[in-house]
Structure formats: structure tokens, C-alpha cells
Amino acid sequence: MKRQAYQPILITDASRSQDDQLTTRQRRYVLMMGIRVACLVVGAILVGAQPPLLWLWLSLCALGMVLIPWLAVLLANDRPPKEEHRLANRFHHQHRDEAPPMSLTAEERPHKVIDAEP
């Protein structure tokens, strides 16, 4: 029967805390909403400046003001994938030793002697 190799759990393999994930998502949301406000301000400046191809610039600003909030909400509600679903772990296989460290092989283990005489 084959024994499983001993694999220590490293602290670097631990997932990020819930508070840390929430803070990162909040920062990303505020940044994206800031970009949306910038699109609104740029659109207002463009209307006043009357540059060439005004319809194109206003269309891009309007597209940014519509798509960015939708993406911001999706990304703010998203959490990182679980470990078993990460692509990096699927393609990067760690080499496992046959025997755990500091363990004895079957030949090195002391054997029980069973006394057959009553």
C-alpha cells in the first residue's frame, strides 16, 4: 500500500483575508467611479469647446459612463477564485517526495514480535 507524501502547509499558500479582499474591491470600485466622473467632466468640456468629431468624442464618453458602472459593480461583487480552480495550480504541478521527511521506511521500522506460545 502506497502512503501519501507529507506536504507541509505554507503560510504563503493561504488565501487573503476577507477584510483585505473587501478593501481591494472597494478601492477598485471607487477608482472606476472616478473614471466615470472624469468621462462626465470631459464630455461637458467637449460640448463647450466644440472640437472636430464632437459626435465621436461624446459617444466615447457616453459609452464609458454606461459601461464603467456596470463593470464596477460586477468587479466589486466578485471574489477571488478558490484554489482548486486557479489555472496556475492546474499547470504547475509540485513534485512530491515518495516518503515524508524524517519517516522510516518499512524495513527500518521496528517489528512487533508476537509470541505464539501460551
Side-chain angles (χ1 to χ4, degrees):
M1 179 157 58
K2 190 175 182 178
R3 295 184 331 188
Q4 273 193 346
Y6 171 73
Q7 289 288 41
I9 298 174
L10 302 175
I11 191 65
T12 57
D13 292 338
S15 61
R16 294 173 46 203
S17 70
Q18 294 289 336
D19 291 336
D20 190 29
Q21 291 176 19
L22 179 64
T23 303
T24 303
R25 292 194 318 253
Q26 287 173 340
R27 286 182 183 156
R28 189 182 317 138
Y29 181 82
V30 168
L31 176 71
M32 292 180 84
M33 288 295 111
I35 293 171
R36 180 183 186 213
V37 169
C39 285
L40 179 66
V41 170
V42 167
I45 292 171
L46 287 174
V47 168
Q50 296 290 324
L53 299 174
L54 178 64
W55 61 271
L56 177 65
W57 298 114
L58 288 179
S59 299
L60 290 174
C61 287
L63 186 66
M65 289 183 347
V66 170
L67 289 181
I68 288 176
W70 177 70
L71 288 173
V73 169
L74 285 179
L75 293 175
N77 289 325
D78 191 23
R79 65 174 194 74
K82 293 183 180 178
E83 290 296 322
E84 63 265 16
H85 297 296
R86 289 187 185 207
L87 290 178
N89 290 340
R90 289 185 187 225
F91 296 118
H92 178 65
H93 298 289
Q94 294 179 354
H95 175 66
R96 294 188 177 179
D97 297 332
E98 290 299 318
M102 304 297 291
S103 67
L104 300 175
T105 63
E107 293 80 28
E108 296 172 336
R109 285 192 205 121
H111 298 286
K112 280 188 177 179
V113 178
I114 300 174
D115 198 12
E117 295 179 30

